[in-house]
Amino acid sequence: MPSSTTAARRNTRPAGVPSPVAMFFQGFLKHPVMVGSIIPSSDKLIRKMLGPVDWAACKLFVEYGPGVGTFCRPILERMAPDATLIAIDTNADFIRYLDHTITDSRFVAVEGSAADVERIVRDHGHDHADYVLSGLPFSTLPAGIGPAIAAATHRVIRPGGAFLVYQFSPKVKDFLTPHFDTIDHDMEWWNVPPAQLYWAWKD
Ligand SMILES: C[S@@+](CC[C@H](N)C(=O)[O-])C[C@H]1O[C@@H](n2cnc3c(N)ncnc32)[C@H](O)[C@@H]1O
């Protein structure tokens, strides 16, 4: 549910800035392995993935691999006025694009790796995250990075919080099972390509 009326917001595109779809495709052409997809996530995937989030209990939401912000806008619409969204992406072009197109006092775009989430969360004045969302292409990340990200994510989430993961391959679950005992699963066919959805809860 949209809940913020007080936070300063502007989710518009200044003249000369490409559309999200065009920008995403440019990013894919430049870094195909790191981006891992040619078009952004569908609205149906976004709604289903964010469905179980308890927004009233969310003060810090972290997103890995926001790309052009497909999830950032719906997250900001649902987030409380005093909550924060930190979006972390290794792609400097995407971070610049987010900074140009999303001006919301609750939003922070960070150029960096999800593997450094604990330091990034600390640097922004928090000691844990309530929810972490990942659109990272886990299976094509450089060796060792996927397991390191999964371990750091488990450490940074508060008890009762969750790691939300969407991915084209069910292999991503192998990264979650060493850390999370309770993992819910669903699929979204209305996405290119169809996606596996996981909600890994921290007990
Ligand atoms: C599939 S795309 C994201 C799609 C987007 N979230 C959406 O819903 O349309 C994957 C993103 O992960 C980013 N990425 C890859 N490795 C990363 C890492 N180690 N840390 C943070 N972001 C990373 C890429 O730059 C890219 O923006």
Side-chain angles (χ1 to χ4, degrees), residues 166-182:
Y166 57 97
Q167 181 84 101
F168 312 129
S169 161
K171 282 203 169 80
V172 70
K173 194 176 178 194
D174 297 344
F175 293 93
L176 305 175
T177 46
H179 308 287
F180 296 90
D181 293 330
T182 308

Side-chain angles (χ1 to χ4, degrees), residues 10-27 40 66-70 72-73 89 91-103 107 109-111:
R10 183 169 67 81
N11 295 339
T12 53
R13 195 153 37 95
V17 174
S19 76
V21 171
M23 184 65 198
F24 194 81
F25 188 58
Q26 282 173 29
V68 293
T70 321
C72 298
R73 294 168 185 86
D89 206 298
N91 186 322
D93 295 338
F94 285 158
I95 293 298
R96 250 193 316 275
Y97 186 81
L98 293 173
D99 278 337
H100 273 103
T101 54
I102 303 180
T103 307
F107 180 66
V110 176
E111 182 187 343

Side-chain angles (χ1 to χ4, degrees), residues 61-141:
F61 197 109
V62 176
E63 182 183 1
Y64 300 158
V68 293
T70 321
F71 265 93
C72 298
R73 294 168 185 86
I75 292 168
L76 289 165
E77 279 169 18
R78 290 161 172 78
M79 239 173 50
D82 61 343
T84 299
L85 167 60
I86 298 178
I88 306 170
D89 206 298
T90 45
N91 186 322
D93 295 338
F94 285 158
I95 293 298
R96 250 193 316 275
Y97 186 81
L98 293 173
D99 278 337
H100 273 103
T101 54
I102 303 180
T103 307
D104 182 314
S105 54
R106 303 167 300 160
F107 180 66
V108 187
V110 176
E111 182 187 343
S113 171
D116 297 322
V117 63
E118 290 164 289
R119 180 186 52 73
I120 293 168
V121 162
R122 260 197 323 273
D123 286 353
H124 289 84
H126 298 267
D127 53 15
H128 65 257
D130 298 296
Y131 293 90
V132 177
L133 168 71
S134 169
L136 301 179
F138 263 89
S139 36
T140 59
L141 293 175

